[in-house]
Amino acid sequence: MYNKVGSAVLEELRQIVGADNVIDDGEAFDSYAHDETVGLRADPEAVVRITSTEDVSAVLRLAQRERIPVTPRGGGYGLSGGAVPVHGGIVLAMEKMNRILEIDQKNLMVTVEPGVFTGDIHRAVEAEGLFYPPDPASQDSCTIGGNLAEGAGGPRAVKYGVTKDYVCGLEAVLPSGEVIQCGGKLVKNVTGYNLTQLLVGSEGTLAVITKIILRLLPQPKVQVDLLVPYDDFQAAADTVSDIISHRIVPSTIEFMEQDSILAVEKLLGRELPYRDAAAQLLIQLDGNRREAVDADFEVVGDLCLEHGARDVLVARDRPTRDRLWEARRLIIDALNHECPINHMEDVVVPRAEIPPLLKGIKAIAAREGVRIICFGHVGDGNVHVNVLKDDLSDERWEALVPALSEAIYALSLSLGGTITGEHGVGATRRGYLPMAMGEAQIEVMRRIRAAFDPNQILNPGKILP
Ligand SMILES: Cc1cc2nc3c(=O)[nH]c(=O)nc-3n(C[C@H](O)[C@H](O)[C@H](O)COP(=O)(O)OP(=O)(O)OC[C@H]3O[C@@H](n4cnc5c(N)ncnc54)[C@H](O)[C@@H]3O)c2cc1C
């Protein structure tokens, strides 16, 4: 179906982007052959480091003419294989398009190139008293282009929503090489179909995003973080829905079960607070008035204690808050360190269904005799479910992973949830899409894709079964 990258195409690529920006050497492919998805890799035939929209356009025209697959790549920190070139071809590396073009104080907007690390956007706007809320835990390694393509979330989604809620406009290059401008520095815009939001979450299958306009907020003046340990795993889960039903919306409610904390301890080589607690919640409250934040903090603290919390540790200043968050940010790295062969799911349910979800997952683990560690953004209903191979045989593991994925998806769907909240379908979940939606819906998606990319050169092998 696709052609290979031959020497003539390589030469044309060098003419478009300069010889320094074309990698055609097998050994150098290594870092572009995988993302952070455990156990998935595929070599590209060429890597092209892009520096401008015009380059993207010229490369796509060439790839279209030659029927060569093209896989856009941001930070390569995805967890569903989105940036892995499963059909070979060209990897379009966006890492050099990494400028923050403008922070517009009058319109509260920032315009960026797609290769900027998300954490750099946070720091740049915060230095001007502004706030870009979406905060994936990978923020210092993932790019804003990857965040748009995946529709990334993060802990602050409970109160502030996710990436899609901040994208007002973008520039993108279609697989034909044509450049489109969607939206703008506009708070309102109902002119035609909303292609801006169609491209958000399209996982690099419809167009390559080359410029992004994001809405900003004023930075909240007051923040309080609470670390709350529980002796009973289920009591921590029950607290979450109780907080929300009391009509208090913290900016984050993160959940970490004991094994995830112990894994971080092993990675860091030192003990962490409340290491013997069965689970911990990490709750952040923010606002502009200290009295209002403190009033919510009192209610939340009391609710936690009513549900059997052992303690409520409070952090008001930045260094203490950073210490409380250290373990949470390191969990994925720590689990990979603890057991390099593991499998992560990313289910999401209506937030009131968190208690039955966690209970059901524990029942699946007990039934199958495997170690499953849960952590994540329970305040917005999103749980990361990590299955560890430990000393299971390779044969048992190979058979177990698909069966477990199916059981976890079935559980989430039965609770009104779905199969991925923020990590995307990518290469790893596409076979399960029919569990989550009907054939008519999948067929509409196929037709949308065909309208953008009739020859399917852009990121084939992703999303659609
Ligand atoms: C330790 C760790 C913590 C994480 N925490 C979170 C979290 O809290 N929340 C969350 O949502 N995710 C999280 N993730 C997952 C991941 O970081 C996000 O999915 C992130 O958005 C990926 O961005 P990236 O730049 O690394 O994209 P990549 O992995 O490079 O690519 C992801 C997808 O985007 C496409 N793409 C990249 N750039 C473009 C572009 N310019 N135009 C079109 N398509 C493009 C690629 O083709 C691919 O399909 C975490 C991952 C790790 C390893």
Side-chain angles (χ1 to χ4, degrees):
M1 190 173 166
Y2 297 111
N3 293 317
K4 295 278 174 203
V5 177
S7 53
V9 169
L10 278 173
E11 191 44 42
E12 269 194 72
L13 288 172
R14 287 189 199 103
Q15 278 166 18
I16 295 168
V17 296
D20 288 353
N21 287 322
V22 177
I23 302 173
D24 59 356
D25 149 20
E27 279 185 28
F29 287 155
D30 188 55
S31 49
Y32 296 94
H34 63 88
D35 60 4
E36 290 295 305
T37 313
V38 174
L40 181 71
R41 56 169 298 132
D43 276 338
E45 292 149 33
V47 177
V48 178
R49 286 194 297 238
I50 286 299
T51 54
S52 70
T53 305
E54 293 70 35
D55 287 355
V56 176
S57 177
V59 171
L60 286 176
R61 280 182 209 279
L62 168 62
Q64 191 65 251
R65 191 191 75 206
E66 299 292 331
R67 298 282 188 277
I68 291 170
V70 176
T71 305
R73 181 185 179 90
Y77 245 60
L79 287 169
S80 54
V84 180
V86 293
H87 286 270
I90 298 169
V91 163
L92 209 57
M94 309 303 289
E95 63 211 28
K96 286 190 167 180
M97 284 189 81
N98 61 357
R99 289 176 303 161
I100 295 177
L101 299 171
E102 183 197 29
I103 298 174
D104 180 344
Q105 290 273 2
K106 285 190 181 150
N107 287 301
L108 296 189
M109 301 266 172
V110 59
T111 305
V112 296
E113 290 185 328
V116 184
F117 287 131
T118 314
D120 287 340
I121 298 178
H122 289 152
R123 283 181 282 276
V125 303
E126 280 165 23
E128 303 204 15
L130 296 170
F131 184 43
Y132 173 65
D135 58 340
S138 50
Q139 57 192 259
D140 287 320
S141 306
C142 67
T143 64
I144 189 69
N147 290 177
L148 259 72
E150 291 292 346
R156 291 197 285 240
V158 188
K159 178 171 177 179
Y160 291 104
V162 296
T163 305
K164 74 172 164 49
D165 300 309
Y166 294 86
V167 183
C168 292
L170 50 81
E171 175 187 84
V173 186
L174 301 176
S176 60
E178 292 160 290
V179 180
I180 58 170
Q181 312 285 340
C182 306
K185 287 184 187 173
L186 303 171
V187 175
K188 282 179 168 180
N189 181 359
V190 291
T191 317
Y193 293 137
N194 192 339
L195 294 186
T196 310
Q197 291 296 339
L198 180 59
L199 294 185
V200 175
S202 64
E203 301 190 20
T205 62
L206 300 181
V208 179
I209 298 162
T210 47
K211 198 188 288 179
I212 299 157
I213 301 172
L214 300 165
R215 185 168 73 86
L216 300 172
L217 299 177
Q219 204 174 1
K221 294 192 176 73
V222 187
Q223 250 184 39
V224 180
D225 289 65
L226 316 176
L227 184 68
V228 191
Y230 288 81
D231 292 324
D232 175 17
F233 174 91
Q234 202 61 38
D238 292 341
T239 311
V240 177
S241 33
D242 211 11
I243 293 174
I244 304 288
S245 63
H246 272 73
R247 301 184 187 179
I248 293 178
V249 186
S251 45
T252 75
I253 311 179
E254 294 288 304
F255 174 90
M256 304 174 281
E257 73 166 290
Q258 185 182 21
D259 279 355
S260 63
I261 298 293
L262 297 180
V264 176
E265 281 193 344
K266 281 188 208 155
L267 182 74
L268 292 175
R270 62 180 155 81
E271 286 195 2
L272 290 166
Y274 307 116
R275 58 189 310 275
D276 55 338
Q280 303 185 17
L281 293 180
L282 192 47
I283 303 171
Q284 184 175 87
L285 296 153
D286 70 1
N288 285 328
R289 288 179 43 245
R290 162 120 0 242
E291 312 81 69
V293 174
D294 281 351
D296 282 354
F297 151 58
E298 291 296 334
V299 178
V300 170
D302 287 348
L303 282 172
C304 293
L305 294 170
E306 277 166 30
H307 279 278
R310 195 195 290 178
D311 201 354
V312 178
L313 191 70
V314 183
R316 289 185 183 274
D317 59 88
R318 186 72 186 245
T320 322
R321 289 209 312 267
D322 286 347
R323 274 204 298 284
L324 294 197
W325 277 88
E326 183 186 27
R328 170 61 190 90
R329 294 202 194 288
L330 287 172
I331 291 176
I332 292 181
D333 290 342
L335 293 176
N336 286 333
H337 178 253
E338 162 115 359
C339 180
I341 304 184
N342 64 62
H343 178 77
M344 191 197 291
E345 291 299 348
D346 167 51
V347 285
V348 61
V349 292
R351 35 197 173 182
E353 304 298 338
I354 281 290
L357 177 72
L358 290 176
K359 199 172 183 173
I361 289 168
K362 285 292 153 187
I364 293 171
R367 191 181 70 215
E368 298 292 343
V370 284
R371 199 150 62 110
I372 296 188
I373 301 177
C374 295
F375 69 95
H377 319 299
V378 287
D380 56 42
N382 184 202
V383 176
H384 299 326
V385 183
N386 273 73
V387 190
L388 305 190
K389 179 170 180 283
D390 290 334
D391 49 10
L392 296 178
S393 69
D394 292 349
E395 298 72 43
R396 169 107 171 94
W397 179 248
E398 294 301 321
L400 187 68
V401 169
L404 275 178
S405 295
E406 211 170 310
I408 294 166
Y409 297 153
L411 172 65
S412 175
L413 291 160
S414 74
L415 296 169
T418 192
I419 65 175
T420 171
E422 58 179 24
H423 293 166
V425 176
T428 53
R429 296 191 181 90
R430 59 196 283 253
Y432 299 93
L433 207 61
M435 281 184 81
M437 56 186 63
E439 182 49 35
Q441 201 171 335
I442 294 175
E443 186 51 33
V444 171
M445 290 187 186
R446 281 201 190 99
R447 282 190 238 145
I448 290 172
R449 185 169 189 167
F452 276 81
D453 188 11
N455 297 318
Q456 298 207 14
I457 61 154
L458 201 55
N459 214 353
K462 309 296 162 62
I463 303 185
L464 293 168

